Amino acid sequence: MTYYNPIVESKAHHICYMIGVNEGIELSDKSRSDIFLTVRASAAYWKDEVDEVRRLNHAKKWNELKLWVNRYPEASMKDVHNIISMLEQEEYIRDHRPKYIK
């Protein structure tokens, strides 16, 4: 599904303008609509793929956090914040343990 994105809409307007200037014709409403739908669809194609990768990475990070907290239930909130910041920086946390836990 395509959502309104000002960058995509701006590019569609620019394409319509450049066709009108370069070809010296006035585009019909149908032609303008087709251009807008095509530009939105092509932008959504790439955005949907990136969103899916982000969604999977997000789920993986939360799963790693949940496993770590279950492994070290006596960990403090400060430790959990440190682990979250490590996950945000794409660091490996499975072998990380709080300093006070042997």
Side-chain angles (χ1 to χ4, degrees):
M1 177 172 211
T2 59
Y3 295 101
Y4 177 80
N5 183 334
I7 296 171
V8 174
E9 300 293 317
S10 170
K11 297 303 178 189
H13 277 291
H14 182 70
I15 290 170
C16 292
Y17 172 76
M18 292 310 294
I19 289 173
V21 168
N22 291 339
E23 301 298 322
I25 59 173
E26 185 68 31
L27 292 175
S28 67
D29 288 341
K30 169 91 171 83
S31 296
R32 291 179 63 80
S33 175
D34 289 342
I35 290 170
F36 273 79
L37 290 175
T38 304
V39 170
R40 288 177 191 145
S42 61
Y45 173 80
W46 296 106
K47 184 180 180 313
D48 291 345
E49 185 176 327
V50 169
D51 287 347
E52 179 65 17
V53 169
R54 277 195 188 129
R55 187 187 66 76
L56 291 174
N57 284 341
H58 185 72
K60 180 181 169 192
K61 286 180 182 179
W62 278 109
N63 189 46
E64 290 289 327
L65 179 64
K66 182 182 82 167
L67 291 173
W68 190 89
V69 169
N70 287 340
R71 196 175 306 127
Y72 303 110
E74 62 276 2
S76 68
M77 188 53 87
K78 183 177 179 184
D79 294 325
V80 173
H81 283 286
N82 288 339
I83 291 299
I84 291 172
S85 65
M86 288 173 69
L87 283 172
E88 289 173 349
Q89 296 170 10
E90 305 292 330
E91 293 182 31
Y92 186 74
I93 66 162
R94 287 189 185 170
D95 296 333
H96 181 78
R97 64 174 35 155
K99 294 179 179 161
Y100 54 86
I101 296 177
K102 301 287 181 194

